[in-house]
Amino acid sequence: MDMNVNRNYKDSVFSLLFSEPKILRELYSAIEGIDIPPDAIVNINTLSEALFMKKINDLSFTIDNRIVVLIEHQSSISRNIPLRILMYIARVYEKIIEKKDIYHRKLIKIPTPEFIVLYNGKEECIEYQEMRLSSSFEDITGLKLKDSEEFPLELVVQVFNINQGQNKKIMERSKYLDNYSYFVNKFYEYRQYLSLEESAKAVVRYCIENNILREFLETHGSEVTNMLYHDITIEEIAEIRAKEAYEDGCEEGQEKERKYVISLLDQDLSKEEIKQRLMR
């Protein structure tokens, strides 16, 4: 069952790419370390409410009697992720279960939940960690069940770092995730030297020319460019304004410099090599 997306929210590049069932199946298989049959049905049921910001950067879907909440997270890792997901998954179950059925005496079987966060922000982050809802409880004294280490309510979130060089086994199993990771990393590289709009256009062009998500970008290039252009944080706005204020006084030669920077980035040089050439 596909749910309507609220028009006040916008898709992210992540949700646009991985909302294709074939690609989503490959990604989930890579994360789980198993081969899910190509005929396994994937039903996407993402909520219309954005989970973290005013863009849809999460996917909720059912596969093999499981319901999975899959989230891309680019900002600093928040310790409140389990709490947000708790409220989110309750609404997802409300969407897929008939309310009248919960009052029946017969036990209702529901898809087993699984929660996955794919982190590709710029801060240092270990390859894998688990975050638990119980960490949010104010007073855990006496909360655990008798003769058990379990809490009456728990929710575990798996957090994978998908930046370049991280979780190589998963990347090897999912070409799309590996290419997406490269795409995001390349965008960050362009952002060091170019405006947001120029970076968005440059990374799409570069990846098409170098066969990275080519088919996806050839089909959705303009959408992706627009998404990247509007995918901006408060910190970036302040940074851009400071940079633009400086550039207002030295516009002469900017166009030539920008073209030179793009040519260097297109050569896939390291950051140090680029800096050395720019300092000459």
Side-chain angles (χ1 to χ4, degrees):
M1 164 174 35
D2 290 337
M3 298 175 191
N4 294 328
V5 175
N6 187 325
R7 291 183 180 178
N8 292 325
Y9 298 92
K10 296 184 180 295
D11 283 335
S12 65
V13 178
F14 174 83
S15 63
L16 181 62
L17 172 62
F18 291 105
S19 61
E20 168 63 42
K22 178 187 71 173
I23 298 175
L24 187 55
R25 192 182 295 110
E26 181 207 80
L27 171 61
Y28 186 65
S29 295
I31 293 172
E32 292 295 303
I34 58 177
D35 292 319
I36 296 176
D39 59 347
I41 298 175
V42 177
N43 286 318
I44 297 175
N45 46 38
T46 304
L47 293 176
S48 59
E49 300 92 342
L51 188 54
F52 290 104
M53 55 195 75
K54 285 197 172 183
K55 67 172 184 175
I56 301 295
N57 66 330
D58 61 274
L59 288 167
S60 171
F61 61 97
T62 55
I63 184 170
D64 275 353
N65 296 317
R66 302 181 194 181
I67 186 164
V68 183
V69 176
L70 177 66
I71 302 160
E72 178 204 35
H73 201 61
Q74 291 184 334
S75 57
S76 302
I77 290 292
S78 168
R79 308 310 299 179
N80 296 314
I81 288 177
L83 182 58
R84 295 182 189 183
I85 291 180
L86 173 67
M87 294 184 282
Y88 184 90
I89 191 63
R91 296 200 301 272
V92 172
Y93 277 129
E94 283 182 340
K95 291 288 185 180
I96 64 175
I97 298 171
E98 291 288 340
K99 286 187 178 180
K100 57 182 176 59
D101 290 343
I102 65 175
Y103 297 103
H104 292 178
R105 296 180 64 180
K106 184 179 178 181
L107 180 67
I108 300 173
K109 292 291 186 177
I110 61 176
T112 303
E114 188 171 2
F115 311 108
I116 300 168
V117 169
L118 301 180
Y119 175 74
N120 59 359
K122 290 177 280 188
E123 292 187 359
E124 289 293 324
C125 180
I126 59 177
E127 279 201 330
Y128 175 79
Q129 61 183 299
E130 291 183 353
M131 301 176 69
R132 296 175 179 270
L133 178 66
S134 56
S135 298
S136 301
F137 298 158
E138 283 192 9
D139 182 8
I140 62 174
T141 304
L143 273 181
K144 291 184 178 180
L145 300 175
K146 292 181 180 179
D147 303 320
S148 172
E149 292 300 310
E150 297 180 359
F151 290 100
L153 178 63
E154 184 63 285
L155 185 151
V156 181
V157 183
Q158 302 177 77
V159 182
F160 296 89
N161 186 342
I162 61 166
N163 281 295
Q164 288 284 284
Q166 302 291 322
N167 282 296
K168 292 181 180 179
K169 288 186 178 180
I170 294 177
M171 297 299 183
E172 289 171 0
R173 290 177 56 86
S174 176
K175 176 190 71 175
Y176 285 100
L177 182 61
D178 187 40
N179 283 354
Y180 178 73
S181 173
Y182 186 93
F183 171 85
V184 172
N185 184 70
K186 195 68 180 176
F187 178 64
Y188 284 155
E189 282 187 29
Y190 280 119
R191 285 289 294 113
Q192 294 181 67
Y193 309 99
L194 304 173
S195 71
L196 192 64
E197 183 177 10
E198 290 167 330
S199 298
K201 292 177 180 178
V203 72
V204 169
R205 176 176 54 80
Y206 174 87
C207 287
I208 289 175
E209 291 175 354
N210 289 273
N211 199 28
I212 299 162
L213 299 178
R214 174 183 285 173
E215 184 178 344
F216 169 72
L217 292 174
E218 285 179 339
T219 303
H220 300 286
S222 59
E223 294 173 77
V224 169
T225 300
N226 189 54
M227 289 171 184
L228 290 173
Y229 181 65
H230 288 92
D231 182 14
I232 184 169
T233 65
I234 295 174
E235 292 82 2
E236 285 178 314
I237 291 173
E239 180 184 334
I240 289 169
R241 285 180 178 172
K243 182 178 178 182
E244 288 178 343
Y246 168 77
E247 290 178 348
D248 281 344
C250 54
E251 291 183 356
E252 186 176 352
Q254 284 292 317
E255 187 61 26
K256 183 178 179 181
E257 182 181 348
R258 287 170 183 167
K259 288 181 179 178
Y260 177 57
V261 170
I262 291 175
S263 70
L264 292 179
L265 292 169
D266 283 353
Q267 295 176 49
D268 213 16
L269 301 172
S270 68
K271 294 178 183 178
E272 275 306 311
E273 288 174 314
I274 292 174
K275 287 179 181 178
Q276 288 175 10
R277 295 198 184 191
L278 289 174
M279 291 173 65
R280 289 176 183 173

